[in-house]
Amino acid sequence: MSTTESTAGTPAPAEETGLKRVLGPKLLILFVIGDILGTGIYATTGKVAGKVGGALWLPFVIGFVVAILTAASYVELVGKYPKAAGAALYTQKAFKLPFLTFIVAFMVMCSGLSSASAAARAFSGDYLDELTNGALPPTLVAITFIVLLAALNLRGVSESVKTNVVLTLVELTGLLIILTIGAWAVLGGDGEPSRLTEFEASGTGYALLTSVLGATALGFFAFVGFEDSVNMAEETKDPTRTFPRAIFIGVAVTGTIYVLVALVSSLLVDAKTLAGSSGPLLEVVKAGGVDFPPRLFALIALFAVTNSALINIMMASRLCYGMANERILPRGMARVLPRRRTPVVGIVFVTLLAIGLVSTGEIEGLGDTTAFLLLCVFAVVNIAVLVLRRDPVDHAHFRTPTVLPVLGAITALILASPLADRPADVYIRAGVLLAIGIALWAVNKLVLRTRGES
């Protein structure tokens, strides 16, 4: 009997140890949108412009297409297997290789934590400086930020998700302000349309290709988050019916907003100015010719990156919970608070890792690390959905056209490859994380053998 089968065969009573189902369709849609929106668009738009130039809308269009391809695979899989472990569960069911399952799960968890660390860095950057004139130490601010979000996560998923809804509405308001400023500028004859076709790399050959792919890989960081929502499957009402609409609507809404924000940013601010700022949308506000208080927008941006970090820490802790239930991690990681029923051990564990990661790089490096790790995972998930077609289930669920996961796997591998022209420190950071994962795998196997459980 497989590990998954033995775990599934003796489920604990939901009312005693299970997670509480509190998410309905509307709340899940807002959750997905809030999970995708945030740090990526608020902090890395300028870095994308630094890689590709004024045509920074193009990487977001390509990223949107790649996200839709992989989202379709996730929708099929979460409909078949509505469990909290996400990509780890799908990998185990498809390939039945515990080592590969652990590495995938560890990469997903680390991607969430590097994303939260990028958000923490963004929080302590130019947006906060606009309010404090640079009076606070960035690293200390980032660490305190992570700890406070962990405390909110401990209170419960209901409190965390309600906070997510509020923050989602705030960050959507911020992006609508950017779009309104852009519309006002265009109607007033301001802006420079010629920048929309300017590329950083000269020529039309390999240099241009790697420039666009590199910008797309970094820009893809703005789209990550929809995959986290599948880890909420055990806290969602009727997940088989709820998830397809929530994920597709979430990706479509955010993708449309991203492309429009990129167009406005390029129209109003040159690529070099955008690239030099950790708060690029603040530069757009200042250049828009509209009397909107920069400090107010900075505050909105701080709420946006807070939302990203909150959701990523929440999802990483739920992933730990799911892996522990599947015996990929020790069962102690599935321990929940008796009254709050939140995964306390998982929350503490991922918070400590996030505090460690927050000092390992700047926004661009951490964001690119997040995208690289998830692109590798997405390639595996897109292949897994094809493999698992031979494993029918006894309930109806969404089925994606076969061509979509095939294209999803190919595009994910291309963006994860050296063709994307990412800095070496991204590969080094990812390699170190994988080395830690392999070490943890060896220790866990040793413990299980000592106890006679493997």
Side-chain angles (χ1 to χ4, degrees), residues 175-198:
L175 296 177
L176 290 176
I177 288 169
I178 293 295
L179 297 182
T180 301
I181 289 174
W184 179 268
V186 170
L187 291 175
D190 296 328
E192 185 51 64
S194 64
R195 280 199 291 259
L196 298 179
T197 57
E198 291 178 353

Side-chain angles (χ1 to χ4, degrees), residues 314-400:
M314 189 190 308
M315 290 308 98
S317 64
R318 268 58 182 184
L319 180 56
C320 283
Y321 169 87
M323 287 192 293
N325 273 340
E326 297 294 326
R327 297 296 180 93
I328 299 169
L329 286 177
R331 283 286 292 177
M333 298 295 291
R335 185 173 301 168
V336 298
L337 286 176
R339 295 181 61 185
R340 291 287 177 180
R341 287 164 57 187
T342 52
V344 57
V345 178
I347 290 171
V348 172
F349 178 65
V350 301
T351 300
L352 291 174
L353 288 181
I355 290 172
L357 278 171
V358 79
S359 60
T360 65
E362 299 302 322
I363 295 171
E364 181 176 358
L366 291 168
D368 213 349
T369 300
T370 302
F372 171 72
L373 290 169
L374 281 180
L375 285 165
C376 293
V377 171
F378 288 172
V380 174
V381 169
N382 279 301
I383 295 171
V385 76
L386 298 173
V387 173
L388 288 169
R389 292 282 172 81
R390 64 191 183 195
D391 179 34
V393 294
D394 59 1
H395 61 269
H397 62 85
F398 174 86
R399 180 185 171 99
T400 183

Side-chain angles (χ1 to χ4, degrees), residues 10-19 321 341:
T10 57
E15 66 273 16
E16 295 179 4
T17 61
L19 300 177
Y321 169 87
R341 287 164 57 187

Side-chain angles (χ1 to χ4, degrees), residues 257-288:
I257 292 173
Y258 284 173
V259 173
L260 292 175
V261 168
L263 287 168
V264 168
S265 299
S266 187
L267 278 170
L268 298 182
V269 184
D270 65 271
K272 289 185 178 180
T273 301
L274 289 172
S277 174
S278 63
L281 299 190
L282 189 59
E283 302 297 334
V284 176
V285 171
K286 292 177 179 179

